[in-house]
Amino acid sequence: MSKIKLFPFDKEKFSNLKEYNFGKNWPVVYLITDGSKEIYIGETTSMYSRAHQHFENQERKKLKDLYVISDEEYNKSAALDIESMLIQYISGDGKLKLQNGNKGLLNHNYFDRDKYRAKFETIWKQLTDLKIVHNPLVQIKNSDLFKYSPYKALTEDQINVVEKLLKEISKGTKSNFIINGGPGTGKTILAIYLVKSLLETEETKHLKIGLVIPMTSLRETVKKVFRSIKGLSAKMIIGPGDVVKEKYDILIVDESHRLKQRKNIVNYESFDKTNKILGLNNSGTELDWIIKSSKHRIFFYDKNQSVRPSDVHESQFIKLDAEQYELKSQLRIAGGLGTEGERYIKFIENLFDLKQKGLEKFVSYEFKVFDDIKLMVDEVKKKDYAYKGLSRMVSGYAWPWSSKNDPSKHDIEIQGTKLFWNSVTTDWVNSRNAINEVGCIHTVQGYDLNFAGVIIGPEITYDKIKNKISIRAENYFDMNGRRGVEDPLELERYIINIYKTLLTRGIYGTYVYIVDNDLREYIKSHVVNSHNPIIVKNHI
């Protein structure tokens, strides 16, 4: 059984560690803290020696309490895994700021891993009783502070990208880098991780770094996270229009596919003014602004998540002649359960590209097509209760936003069920009434949901005779998403990209209601409806 023992973090009293059963020549995990502001987390096979080393560190020397977590069954792999989880969850808890750097955390498998994961829950309960941590694991798992923390165990392909980028930027010879990745491959997580890593790397820590996030909602969410992390500042998080205010050594751009060009935008005057400041004519784009304002650029990009004609066209990224990297590991779908998550993403792509052959069945991931929208709404609300939040209804913009001007009017009515669009645009997924509303693409792009209830509206249909998906533009009400689009195929691409994006938001499952009967039957004909009521206890 895992036990936690308190020792004074005092050099004169380290002899107590020498006499402790697990103080020398045994793997342990440890916490050093002042109890109210900061904490350091580590693992070692000699606590006695490691304590002496830490005491020479001026940051660590300010701390006063040493908690040693020991167990007769610990081995080196288990200690590394528990250390990694403690770093991630204590960072997400938010009570104490970590003195740790964020490098070296890696998800890896080892013998009897599930047993040690179960031990972690017991450790967390003890830490809660000791008042070192505050929140339960399930609540932390749902929090933005956990989801967007720079303290994340990386996948192998993420680690490879980080190592190559740090090497290239240290050399200073390359200027443009594009990291391609589909939904759920950890683009935002890696962008945030990179900011902290660059600030902790000797060769780059002096550089001025900005993290550009085009979507206002996600930008505000990440700002909140940066305020709680030692060494980071909310001022590092900027919008595309902010890059002209200063000169940057490195600009990291998340969701680069949402950078804007001068087309179907809200404020042309402001856009033109920024172009003029940079010596550009009115054809300048937010991509041009970023290039003009920095020495090095790192773009996180997915061409299939471009959802409006105002988005900078893929051809402009191709012209950059950037060094390309690719993220493949699926981290969102099915709780990151490897091949099934990747298979689900491919399944959604194949459905809309009319390439799906035969039936698909998912075991760890819950995918279900509903014939009755009320049943789907009720099921989403049940999942929201069971998973302590973050189950939401979302849809394409297939109904006017009537409630915007008159809150008493509903926006969507299907089979007698009346629904409202999102009442707030900033951080909607965490807003008070979100479970009773339907979010649009602009409120959820870049976010994870536990379960997503997707309404596919009447703007997209299926012709079963021709085996063809078609768009009904008259049922698409995003004016900025259709104005000036003369090519029907271009509008079709944007609308299909919206649904591909919405259908890949759910971590544990996706529910779907489809207005068009033929499209509903088409999708149902290619999947075995899965219904897995098992709740992952603490989502560890």
Side-chain angles (χ1 to χ4, degrees):
M1 180 179 174
S2 297
K3 297 179 181 178
I4 302 176
K5 186 171 177 62
L6 172 63
F7 295 88
F9 189 59
D10 182 342
K11 189 176 182 179
E12 302 302 318
K13 299 178 180 178
F14 284 165
S15 57
N16 295 338
L17 291 167
K18 201 172 185 179
E19 298 166 7
Y20 180 51
N21 288 348
F22 301 102
K24 293 182 72 177
N25 197 29
W26 195 264
V28 297
V29 184
Y30 60 91
L31 316 172
I32 313 174
T33 179
D34 60 6
S36 60
K37 293 182 179 179
E38 295 188 5
I39 192 168
Y40 182 88
I41 302 163
E43 62 79 32
T44 183
T45 54
S46 178
M47 191 67 254
Y48 174 71
S49 300
R50 193 74 179 112
H52 280 279
Q53 293 168 0
H54 279 306
F55 204 76
E56 300 304 313
N57 181 294
Q58 292 306 307
E59 282 291 299
R60 229 75 78 232
K61 205 169 187 176
K62 300 173 186 175
L63 308 178
K64 62 177 184 177
D65 294 324
L66 170 63
Y67 292 90
V68 179
I69 305 169
S70 61
D71 195 306
E72 296 89 343
E73 296 182 327
Y74 276 0
N75 54 55
K76 184 69 172 178
S77 291
L80 284 166
D81 196 29
I82 291 169
E83 176 204 32
S84 175
M85 286 192 289
L86 282 172
I87 288 171
Q88 293 177 71
Y89 279 91
I90 288 180
S91 170
D93 181 60
K95 180 182 177 181
L96 301 169
K97 289 190 175 183
L98 269 66
Q99 289 190 359
N100 296 67
N102 69 325
K103 296 178 185 176
L105 299 181
L106 176 64
N107 277 324
H108 65 285
N109 208 351
Y110 58 92
F111 179 71
D112 248 0
R113 184 184 183 187
D114 288 345
K115 178 175 76 174
Y116 292 102
R117 291 275 165 129
K119 286 176 181 283
F120 182 76
E121 295 183 33
T122 303
I123 292 168
W124 194 262
K125 175 66 169 61
Q126 293 179 66
L127 293 175
T128 304
D129 293 342
L130 290 166
K131 301 190 184 309
I132 295 171
V133 298
H134 176 66
N135 295 300
L137 292 172
V138 65
Q139 186 175 327
I140 294 170
K141 183 75 172 182
N142 282 341
S143 71
D144 290 328
L145 185 52
F146 179 85
K147 289 177 183 293
Y148 299 108
S149 167
Y151 295 100
K152 278 285 184 288
L154 300 186
T155 62
E156 190 172 340
D157 56 351
Q158 286 178 323
I159 289 171
N160 289 336
V161 168
V162 169
E163 290 176 348
K164 289 174 182 176
L165 279 172
L166 291 177
K167 185 177 180 180
E168 290 295 335
I169 290 171
S170 297
K171 289 193 298 187
T173 54
K174 300 285 179 68
S175 296
N176 296 317
F177 307 88
I178 294 178
I179 293 91
N180 298 285
T185 52
K187 295 185 296 297
T188 300
I189 290 169
L190 190 54
I192 293 168
Y193 182 97
L194 267 172
V195 173
K196 187 162 175 60
S197 291
L198 286 163
L199 291 171
E200 292 175 353
T201 299
E202 191 64 34
E203 294 83 358
T204 57
K205 65 181 183 181
H206 63 287
L207 300 178
K208 184 167 182 60
I209 301 166
L211 175 55
V212 181
I213 301 179
M215 289 102 73
T216 304
S217 181
L218 185 58
R219 184 162 66 242
E220 294 306 311
T221 296
V222 177
K223 277 184 178 181
K224 291 177 187 175
V225 173
F226 271 47
R227 290 188 187 102
S228 67
I229 302 295
K230 187 178 174 67
L232 300 183
S233 166
K235 293 179 181 178
M236 297 174 181
I237 310 299
I238 54 178
D242 299 319
V243 300
V244 300
K245 296 175 183 177
E246 299 184 55
K247 279 289 185 182
Y248 290 87
D249 294 297
I250 304 172
L251 284 176
I252 299 170
V253 189
D254 189 32
E255 305 284 344
S256 299
H257 38 271
R258 297 311 315 273
L259 293 173
K260 290 184 177 65
Q261 57 182 323
R262 194 184 184 275
K263 185 176 182 180
N264 290 15
I265 57 175
V266 176
N267 194 333
Y268 284 96
E269 184 179 353
S270 175
F271 203 90
D272 293 344
K273 184 179 179 181
T274 303
N275 272 328
K276 189 174 181 180
I277 290 171
L278 293 171
L280 299 167
N281 59 33
N282 286 350
S283 65
T285 68
E286 289 181 345
L287 177 60
D288 296 318
W289 303 355
I290 286 160
I291 292 169
K292 284 270 190 178
S293 303
S294 58
K295 295 178 183 176
H296 304 281
R297 280 75 57 179
I298 302 171
F299 299 99
F300 287 84
Y301 186 70
D302 180 5
K303 66 179 182 180
N304 292 322
Q305 290 195 57
S306 176
V307 296
R308 271 183 170 178
S310 56
D311 297 342
V312 172
H313 197 270
E314 179 191 2
S315 61
Q316 298 304 306
F317 287 92
I318 293 172
K319 286 180 183 177
L320 291 177
D321 190 29
E323 185 151 334
Q324 304 269 343
Y325 302 95
E326 190 168 1
L327 299 176
K328 293 182 179 179
S329 298
Q330 179 53 232
L331 300 176
R332 176 187 294 140
I333 302 302
L337 294 175
T339 55
E340 179 146 291
E342 292 165 16
R343 189 158 54 85
Y344 175 76
I345 296 290
K346 190 65 179 174
F347 167 69
I348 295 301
E349 289 178 1
N350 286 343
L351 280 178
F352 286 94
D353 295 342
L354 301 170
K355 294 179 180 178
Q356 179 62 29
K357 305 295 183 185
L359 278 171
E360 192 69 80
K361 183 177 182 179
F362 300 102
V363 178
S364 303
Y365 193 73
E366 189 173 341
F367 181 84
K368 188 174 182 181
V369 181
F370 285 75
D371 295 313
D372 185 325
I373 193 166
K374 186 179 185 305
L375 290 179
M376 185 176 86
V377 172
D378 291 344
E379 193 65 28
V380 170
K381 289 182 177 181
K382 288 177 184 176
K383 292 299 186 189
D384 190 68
Y385 178 80
Y387 280 73
K388 311 299 181 187
L390 289 184
S391 292
R392 300 287 180 262
M393 302 285 296
V394 294
S395 182
Y397 207 157
W399 293 270
W401 193 358
S402 302
S403 63
K404 186 175 185 179
N405 298 317
D406 185 352
S408 67
K409 289 185 177 180
H410 64 273
D411 301 301
I412 302 166
E413 184 168 355
I414 302 170
Q415 297 174 331
T417 295
K418 298 175 181 179
L419 300 166
F420 294 83
W421 281 121
N422 48 277
S423 58
V424 298
T425 55
T426 300
D427 201 23
W428 171 75
V429 297
N430 295 307
S431 63
R432 185 184 299 271
N433 200 42
I435 187 58
N436 299 311
E437 299 172 345
V438 180
C440 71
I441 180 66
H442 309 299
T443 63
V444 298
Q445 195 165 17
Y447 286 90
D448 294 346
L449 301 173
N450 284 329
F451 281 80
V454 182
I455 304 171
I456 299 181
E459 84 280 36
I460 183 167
T461 64
Y462 175 73
D463 187 327
K464 59 185 177 182
I465 305 299
K466 296 179 180 179
N467 185 32
K468 186 179 187 307
I469 288 175
S470 299
I471 298 302
R472 290 180 178 168
E474 68 273 16
N475 291 334
Y476 183 55
F477 290 92
D478 186 347
M479 291 300 105
N480 288 325
R482 57 180 287 187
R483 189 187 299 116
V485 180
E486 297 176 2
D487 183 356
L489 291 178
E490 183 182 2
L491 182 62
E492 178 180 302
R493 181 171 67 86
Y494 289 131
I495 293 174
I496 286 177
N497 279 355
I498 286 170
Y499 283 110
K500 284 181 176 179
T501 302
L502 294 177
L503 288 161
T504 53
R505 295 299 96 190
I507 299 171
Y508 302 104
T510 299
Y511 300 145
V512 191
Y513 176 83
I514 305 156
V515 172
D516 183 74
N517 290 331
D518 289 337
L519 182 61
R520 191 187 319 147
E521 292 308 312
Y522 161 71
I523 291 180
K524 284 173 69 174
S525 71
H526 287 294
V527 66
V528 176
N529 265 353
S530 65
H531 187 72
N532 179 9
I534 298 171
I535 297 174
V536 182
K537 186 176 180 185
N538 274 322
H539 313 330
I540 295 176

